[in-house]
């Protein structure tokens, strides 16, 4: 009996050591592969400072962490930083890696991301960075193609201290906000689920046609949204929206069809005082 206990203890110790050492040995090689594949996928330069892989930090889940990520434009947007993030963390259920039902991502965290979206006067946009996929040599009939077994499930998505900036030279429109925080929870692999959403945004600025419409405004949204993910239809359930001192409730639905968005949303408010409306007017 003592020998069995000793053998089990040795096996456990070996597994723990392997789980600790293997990511350290493979980290550099994996980082090179990720950078190479990303730069082949995007018409932009992708770089990051460090990649960490841990099998113990969230055991029995595995975690992957990118630090100092940057996505920099090329050609007409040469030198423009489209996306940057201090840290991106992804936690994956280890057992889902060995099944055929898809990867179960339990948590995704974006810490201090910065996004700069720029549209030029001629309609060119900085975020169109995906290289076009190569057409297959021979089209395979839909009935003969095997369905993909890949399915991504995310249950907890968070953004903290984000900075968002949008510029449209064609309409002279500008929008920015910082910091922005977002927490989204729900079973995003199900056909239907309730999405628990909480969003806060500060220092919101909005300029349209050169006229400032918002300056240093604050927004807060706390909502539960009934999501029909199979048909891309979202219906507002319990919710509260605050814009500066004005509090609203939203009712209705939104549905995404191809490249268009159809919606029927109404906003209700119990009472609004003049000073509340005045808080939205830029000085």
């Amino acid at each position: 009996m003592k020998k069995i206990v000793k053998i089990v203890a040795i096996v456990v110790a070996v597994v723990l050591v392997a789980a600790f050492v293997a990511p350290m040995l493979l980290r550099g090689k994996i980082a090179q592969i990720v950078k190479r594949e990303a730069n082949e996928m995007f018409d932009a330069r992708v770089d990051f400072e460090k990649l960490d892989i841990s099998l113990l930090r969230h055991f029995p889940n595995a975690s992957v962490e990118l630090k100092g990520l940057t996505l920099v434009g090329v050609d007409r947007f040469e030198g423009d930083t489209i996306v940057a993030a201090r840290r991106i963390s992804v936690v994956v259920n280890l057992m889902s890696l060995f099944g055929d039902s898809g990867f179960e991502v339990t948590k995704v965290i974006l810490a201090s991301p910065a996004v700069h979206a720029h549209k030029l006067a001629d309609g060119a946009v900085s975020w169109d960075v995906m290289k076009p996929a190569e057409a297959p040599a021979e089209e395979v009939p839909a009935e003969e193609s095997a369905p993909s077994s890949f399915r991504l499930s995310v249950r907890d998505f968070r953004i903290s201290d984000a900075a968002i900036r949008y510029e449209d030279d064609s309409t002279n429109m500008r929008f920015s906000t910082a910091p922005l925080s977002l927490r989204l929870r729900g079973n995003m692999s199900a056909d239907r689920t309730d999405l628990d959403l909480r969003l806060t945004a500060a220092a919101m600025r909005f300029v349209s046609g050169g006229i400032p419409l918002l300056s240093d405004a604050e927004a807060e949204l706390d909502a539960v949204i009934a999501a029909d993910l199979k048909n891309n239809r979202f219906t507002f359930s319990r919710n509260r929206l605050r814009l500066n001192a004005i509090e609203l409730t939203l009712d209705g639905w939104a549905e995404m069809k191809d490249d268009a968005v159809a919606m029927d949303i109404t906003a209700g408010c119990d009472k609004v005082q003049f000073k509340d409306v005045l808080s939205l007017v830029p000085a």
Side-chain angles (χ1 to χ4, degrees):
M1 186 67 179
K2 289 183 179 180
K3 288 185 177 180
I4 295 177
V5 173
K6 187 176 181 179
I7 292 172
V8 172
I10 292 174
V11 171
V12 171
V14 170
V15 171
L16 290 176
V17 170
F20 181 76
V21 174
M24 297 178 62
L25 296 177
L26 299 175
R27 183 183 301 153
K29 183 173 292 187
I30 294 176
Q32 292 177 2
I33 294 174
V34 171
K35 286 184 181 181
R36 184 181 69 245
E37 294 298 324
N39 280 287
E40 289 181 357
M41 186 183 304
F42 295 114
D43 268 328
R45 290 190 296 273
V46 181
D47 198 7
F48 51 85
E49 297 173 0
K50 189 177 181 181
L51 181 145
D52 281 333
I53 302 173
S54 175
L55 302 179
L56 300 177
R57 187 178 302 151
H58 297 90
F59 190 82
N61 298 325
S63 65
V64 180
E65 188 172 274
L66 280 178
K67 294 182 179 179
L69 174 70
T70 57
L71 178 68
V72 180
V74 296
D75 299 331
R76 300 182 67 185
F77 298 97
E78 179 69 35
D80 288 356
T81 300
I82 303 168
V83 177
R86 179 172 60 84
R87 177 173 59 89
I88 298 177
S89 299
V90 180
V91 180
V92 184
N93 183 342
L94 272 177
M95 300 308 298
S96 70
L97 301 178
F98 301 99
D100 56 1
S101 60
F103 298 160
E104 182 181 356
V105 179
T106 60
K107 185 180 294 186
V108 177
I109 299 175
L110 278 67
S112 301
V115 178
H116 178 204
H118 190 187
K119 182 178 181 180
L120 300 181
D122 61 2
V125 295
S126 63
W127 60 87
D128 186 14
V129 295
M130 293 293 296
K131 291 182 179 178
E134 295 183 1
E138 184 177 349
E139 293 291 337
V140 179
E143 61 273 10
E144 296 181 9
S145 59
S148 173
S149 63
F150 179 81
R151 182 169 59 91
L152 185 64
S153 172
V154 181
R155 297 181 180 273
D156 193 350
F157 180 79
R158 301 183 189 184
I159 299 176
S160 62
D161 297 326
I164 310 295
R165 185 158 56 106
Y166 174 74
E167 298 176 290
D168 188 341
D169 295 341
S170 62
T171 60
N172 197 16
M173 185 174 71
R174 304 285 186 269
F175 173 81
S176 65
T177 180
L180 177 144
S181 296
L182 170 71
R183 187 206 67 198
L184 179 63
R185 292 176 177 172
N187 184 3
M188 298 172 206
S189 65
D191 289 341
R192 296 176 181 269
T193 186
D194 285 336
L195 299 179
D196 187 353
L197 172 67
R198 180 171 177 79
L199 171 71
T200 59
M204 295 173 56
R205 295 181 176 89
F206 179 60
V207 177
S208 180
I211 301 174
L213 302 178
L214 279 181
S215 179
D216 291 331
E218 296 182 355
E220 182 180 5
L221 173 63
D222 196 350
V224 175
I225 300 173
D228 180 355
L229 299 177
K230 185 176 181 180
N231 299 305
N232 289 326
R233 185 183 177 93
F234 304 89
T235 304
F236 280 97
S237 181
R238 302 184 304 274
N239 64 84
R240 181 182 68 88
L241 172 64
R242 180 181 65 84
L243 185 59
N244 278 5
I246 299 177
E247 289 200 5
L248 307 168
T249 57
L250 301 176
D251 187 25
W253 54 269
E255 184 175 352
M256 291 184 289
K257 297 180 178 179
D258 300 324
D259 295 331
V261 178
M263 65 177 66
D264 183 7
I265 298 177
T266 58
C269 183
D270 291 337
K271 63 177 182 179
V272 179
Q273 298 183 12
F274 180 73
K275 64 178 183 179
D276 298 337
V277 177
L278 195 61
S279 71
L280 298 177
V281 180

